[in-house]
Amino acid sequence: MIIQIRNKPDEERYEKYLESAMDQRNIMDVAYAANKFNISTVSNGAGNGSGDIRRIIAPVLVLWGKNDVITTEQMTLEIINDMKGTGIDVTYSILSAGHAVLIDNLEAVLMKIDKFLSS
């Protein structure tokens, strides 16, 4: 189980997660859309940026799991820099978790969200 680092689900729940992931028939479409619908101001190699990132006016909370082997910190920082470059107020927090932060460290996620919304 490469995605869950800290709080690994029991075998039965893991099998359900795996079955659900394999059931996603549109995973290639999702991956394509994530790259193609680029709201940044620059090309990402798959599509030109639309600049729609400038339309975000609310502060943004970015949470990243330091043990994430799918989304690197470099990828996360690129997104943060894109947002900050257009004047978005970004709060960045690194959690003790992997890619599935809600499973790995729900308590920390809730604490960070509560603090963010209270500020």
Side-chain angles (χ1 to χ4, degrees):
M1 280 183 274
I2 206 163
I3 295 177
Q4 286 84 24
I5 301 296
R6 289 184 57 219
N7 295 325
K8 295 178 182 177
D10 61 49
E11 191 65 31
E12 182 180 342
R13 181 166 277 199
Y14 175 71
E15 288 300 322
K16 287 181 181 177
Y17 288 152
L18 190 57
E19 183 180 327
S20 178
M22 297 306 239
D23 253 0
Q24 293 181 357
R25 297 170 206 256
N26 65 340
I27 194 69
M28 292 305 291
D29 293 329
V30 171
Y32 173 80
N35 286 308
K36 187 66 175 169
F37 300 110
N38 174 5
I39 67 169
S40 79
T41 58
V42 296
S43 172
N44 63 5
N48 291 326
S50 67
D52 285 343
I53 193 169
R54 293 186 191 107
R55 298 175 61 194
I56 299 173
I57 57 173
V60 174
L61 172 63
V62 176
L63 302 175
W64 177 73
K66 67 181 176 183
N67 301 112
D68 191 336
V69 295
I70 296 172
T71 304
T72 66
E73 186 172 26
Q74 178 183 346
M75 293 163 70
T76 304
L77 292 174
E78 285 176 13
I79 293 168
I80 290 169
N81 289 334
D82 284 348
M83 288 189 282
K84 285 185 174 183
T86 59
I88 298 170
D89 179 18
V90 179
T91 300
Y92 175 48
S93 187
I94 300 172
L95 302 178
S96 178
H99 187 72
V101 294
L102 292 171
I103 294 170
D104 282 350
N105 200 343
L106 179 60
E107 301 81 21
V109 170
L110 294 174
M111 185 181 73
K112 295 294 182 180
I113 291 171
D114 186 52
K115 183 178 177 183
F116 177 75
L117 293 175
S118 297
S119 62

